[in-house]
Short mmCIF file of all heavy atoms in Angstrom, two decimals:
data_model
loop_
_atom_site.label_atom_id
_atom_site.label_comp_id
_atom_site.label_asym_id
_atom_site.label_seq_id
_atom_site.Cartn_x
_atom_site.Cartn_y
_atom_site.Cartn_z
N GLY A 1 0.80 -1.17 0.00
CA GLY A 1 -0.08 -0.06 0.04
C GLY A 1 0.80 1.22 -0.02
O GLY A 1 0.59 2.22 -0.70
N GLN A 2 1.89 1.31 0.89
CA GLN A 2 2.76 2.41 0.86
C GLN A 2 3.50 2.71 -0.51
O GLN A 2 3.73 3.77 -0.89
CB GLN A 2 3.73 2.32 2.07
CG GLN A 2 3.18 2.35 3.44
CD GLN A 2 2.60 3.74 3.75
OE1 GLN A 2 2.83 4.84 3.03
NE2 GLN A 2 1.87 3.85 4.88
N ILE A 3 3.91 1.53 -1.07
CA ILE A 3 4.73 1.66 -2.37
C ILE A 3 3.68 2.25 -3.46
O ILE A 3 4.09 3.03 -4.22
CB ILE A 3 5.18 0.28 -2.77
CG1 ILE A 3 6.31 -0.10 -1.72
CG2 ILE A 3 5.77 0.37 -4.12
CD1 ILE A 3 6.91 -1.49 -2.00
N ARG A 4 2.48 1.77 -3.42
CA ARG A 4 1.51 2.22 -4.36
C ARG A 4 1.26 3.75 -4.18
O ARG A 4 1.13 4.49 -5.21
CB ARG A 4 0.17 1.48 -4.25
CG ARG A 4 0.21 0.06 -4.95
CD ARG A 4 -1.19 -0.41 -5.14
NE ARG A 4 -1.84 -0.52 -3.88
CZ ARG A 4 -1.85 -1.58 -3.04
NH1 ARG A 4 -1.21 -2.63 -3.31
NH2 ARG A 4 -2.61 -1.55 -1.96
N VAL A 5 1.01 4.19 -2.92
CA VAL A 5 0.84 5.62 -2.67
C VAL A 5 1.99 6.39 -3.16
O VAL A 5 1.83 7.48 -3.81
CB VAL A 5 0.61 5.82 -1.15
CG1 VAL A 5 0.56 7.23 -0.91
CG2 VAL A 5 -0.77 5.18 -0.80
N ALA A 6 3.24 6.02 -2.84
CA ALA A 6 4.34 6.76 -3.34
C ALA A 6 4.45 6.85 -4.83
O ALA A 6 4.74 7.81 -5.39
CB ALA A 6 5.63 6.10 -2.74
N ALA A 7 4.17 5.69 -5.54
CA ALA A 7 4.21 5.65 -6.96
C ALA A 7 3.25 6.62 -7.61
O ALA A 7 3.44 7.21 -8.58
CB ALA A 7 4.01 4.23 -7.45
N GLN A 8 2.02 6.64 -6.99
CA GLN A 8 1.01 7.51 -7.48
C GLN A 8 1.32 8.97 -7.41
O GLN A 8 1.06 9.80 -8.27
CB GLN A 8 -0.35 7.20 -6.82
CG GLN A 8 -0.93 5.88 -7.27
CD GLN A 8 -2.21 5.50 -6.38
OE1 GLN A 8 -2.59 6.28 -5.56
NE2 GLN A 8 -2.78 4.33 -6.64
N ILE A 9 1.86 9.37 -6.23
CA ILE A 9 2.20 10.69 -5.91
C ILE A 9 3.44 11.23 -6.72
O ILE A 9 3.43 12.27 -7.34
CB ILE A 9 2.42 10.94 -4.40
CG1 ILE A 9 1.15 10.81 -3.65
CG2 ILE A 9 2.89 12.39 -4.17
CD1 ILE A 9 1.28 10.84 -2.10
N LEU A 10 4.40 10.38 -6.80
CA LEU A 10 5.60 10.75 -7.45
C LEU A 10 5.66 10.41 -8.94
O LEU A 10 6.62 10.54 -9.62
CB LEU A 10 6.94 9.98 -6.81
CG LEU A 10 7.10 10.23 -5.27
CD1 LEU A 10 8.21 9.52 -4.67
CD2 LEU A 10 7.36 11.82 -5.14
N LYS A 11 4.57 9.80 -9.38
CA LYS A 11 4.37 9.45 -10.81
C LYS A 11 5.41 8.40 -11.22
O LYS A 11 5.62 7.36 -10.63
CB LYS A 11 4.46 10.62 -11.76
CG LYS A 11 3.45 11.75 -11.36
CD LYS A 11 2.07 11.42 -11.61
CE LYS A 11 1.20 12.61 -11.23
NZ LYS A 11 -0.23 12.14 -11.28
N ASP A 12 6.13 8.71 -12.31
CA ASP A 12 7.11 7.66 -12.87
C ASP A 12 8.54 7.91 -12.31
O ASP A 12 9.53 7.21 -12.65
CB ASP A 12 7.17 7.82 -14.38
CG ASP A 12 5.91 7.49 -15.01
OD1 ASP A 12 5.07 6.75 -14.42
OD2 ASP A 12 5.60 8.07 -16.06
N GLU A 13 8.72 8.75 -11.21
CA GLU A 13 9.97 8.96 -10.73
C GLU A 13 10.54 7.76 -10.01
O GLU A 13 9.82 7.12 -9.13
CB GLU A 13 9.93 10.23 -9.70
CG GLU A 13 11.28 10.50 -9.15
CD GLU A 13 11.17 11.73 -8.30
OE1 GLU A 13 10.17 12.41 -8.25
OE2 GLU A 13 12.20 11.96 -7.58
N GLN A 14 11.71 7.35 -10.19
CA GLN A 14 12.37 6.24 -9.52
C GLN A 14 13.07 6.86 -8.21
O GLN A 14 13.96 7.59 -8.22
CB GLN A 14 13.46 5.62 -10.42
CG GLN A 14 12.82 4.96 -11.69
CD GLN A 14 11.98 3.73 -11.31
OE1 GLN A 14 12.16 3.07 -10.42
NE2 GLN A 14 10.90 3.70 -12.20
N PHE A 15 12.52 6.49 -7.09
CA PHE A 15 12.97 6.91 -5.87
C PHE A 15 13.95 5.97 -5.05
O PHE A 15 14.33 6.23 -3.89
CB PHE A 15 11.84 7.46 -5.00
CG PHE A 15 10.80 6.34 -4.65
CD1 PHE A 15 10.88 5.57 -3.50
CD2 PHE A 15 9.78 6.24 -5.53
CE1 PHE A 15 9.93 4.58 -3.33
CE2 PHE A 15 8.85 5.17 -5.24
CZ PHE A 15 8.87 4.43 -4.12
N GLY A 16 14.19 4.88 -5.62
CA GLY A 16 15.02 3.95 -4.93
C GLY A 16 16.52 4.41 -4.75
O GLY A 16 17.11 4.09 -3.71
N GLY A 17 16.96 5.29 -5.63
CA GLY A 17 18.22 5.85 -5.49
C GLY A 17 18.39 6.84 -4.33
O GLY A 17 19.55 7.30 -4.03
N ALA A 18 17.26 7.26 -3.76
CA ALA A 18 17.33 8.24 -2.65
C ALA A 18 17.90 7.63 -1.47
O ALA A 18 18.30 8.46 -0.53
CB ALA A 18 16.01 8.88 -2.46
N ASP A 19 17.96 6.36 -1.33
CA ASP A 19 18.38 5.64 -0.15
C ASP A 19 18.94 4.34 -0.49
O ASP A 19 18.29 3.50 -1.14
CB ASP A 19 17.28 5.52 0.89
CG ASP A 19 17.73 4.95 2.24
OD1 ASP A 19 18.69 5.51 2.79
OD2 ASP A 19 17.14 3.87 2.60
N GLU A 20 20.25 4.09 -0.21
CA GLU A 20 20.91 2.88 -0.51
C GLU A 20 20.24 1.74 0.18
O GLU A 20 20.10 0.57 -0.33
CB GLU A 20 22.37 2.85 -0.23
CG GLU A 20 23.18 3.87 -1.11
CD GLU A 20 24.69 3.92 -0.76
OE1 GLU A 20 25.04 3.10 0.17
OE2 GLU A 20 25.42 4.64 -1.40
N GLU A 21 19.80 1.85 1.52
CA GLU A 21 19.19 0.75 2.27
C GLU A 21 17.92 0.35 1.57
O GLU A 21 17.61 -0.82 1.44
CB GLU A 21 18.99 1.21 3.64
CG GLU A 21 20.16 1.36 4.45
CD GLU A 21 19.84 1.72 5.98
OE1 GLU A 21 19.61 2.91 6.11
OE2 GLU A 21 19.92 0.81 6.73
N TYR A 22 17.19 1.27 1.13
CA TYR A 22 15.88 0.98 0.42
C TYR A 22 16.15 0.24 -0.87
O TYR A 22 15.47 -0.67 -1.24
CB TYR A 22 15.05 2.22 0.12
CG TYR A 22 13.85 1.93 -0.61
CD1 TYR A 22 12.73 1.38 0.03
CD2 TYR A 22 13.67 2.24 -1.92
CE1 TYR A 22 11.53 0.99 -0.68
CE2 TYR A 22 12.49 1.87 -2.64
CZ TYR A 22 11.42 1.29 -2.02
OH TYR A 22 10.25 1.02 -2.70
N ALA A 23 17.11 0.65 -1.66
CA ALA A 23 17.55 -0.01 -2.91
C ALA A 23 17.91 -1.45 -2.58
O ALA A 23 17.40 -2.32 -3.33
CB ALA A 23 18.71 0.76 -3.54
N ALA A 24 18.66 -1.74 -1.47
CA ALA A 24 19.00 -3.12 -1.12
C ALA A 24 17.80 -3.83 -0.74
O ALA A 24 17.63 -5.08 -0.99
CB ALA A 24 20.02 -3.05 -0.02
N TYR A 25 16.82 -3.14 0.01
CA TYR A 25 15.58 -3.83 0.43
C TYR A 25 14.78 -4.14 -0.90
O TYR A 25 14.22 -5.28 -0.81
CB TYR A 25 14.83 -2.86 1.27
CG TYR A 25 13.42 -3.33 1.69
CD1 TYR A 25 13.29 -4.43 2.49
CD2 TYR A 25 12.33 -2.60 1.18
CE1 TYR A 25 12.05 -4.87 2.75
CE2 TYR A 25 11.04 -3.06 1.54
CZ TYR A 25 10.77 -4.13 2.25
OH TYR A 25 9.67 -4.64 2.61
N GLU A 26 14.72 -3.31 -1.91
CA GLU A 26 13.95 -3.68 -3.01
C GLU A 26 14.60 -4.85 -3.77
O GLU A 26 13.79 -5.70 -4.31
CB GLU A 26 13.86 -2.40 -4.00
CG GLU A 26 12.84 -1.45 -3.66
CD GLU A 26 11.50 -1.99 -3.83
OE1 GLU A 26 11.27 -2.60 -4.85
OE2 GLU A 26 10.64 -1.85 -2.93
N ARG A 27 15.92 -4.99 -3.80
CA ARG A 27 16.56 -6.08 -4.33
C ARG A 27 16.13 -7.43 -3.61
O ARG A 27 15.88 -8.47 -4.15
CB ARG A 27 18.05 -5.95 -4.36
CG ARG A 27 18.54 -4.88 -5.44
CD ARG A 27 20.03 -5.03 -5.63
NE ARG A 27 20.79 -4.58 -4.42
CZ ARG A 27 21.11 -3.39 -4.09
NH1 ARG A 27 20.78 -2.37 -4.90
NH2 ARG A 27 21.83 -3.14 -2.99
#
């Protein structure tokens, strides 16, 4: 749910690069 909300607000912006820990979590 949180990921969907962020994607809707930020549109097509890739925000994984804003935090290395989050990028690792996505992997």
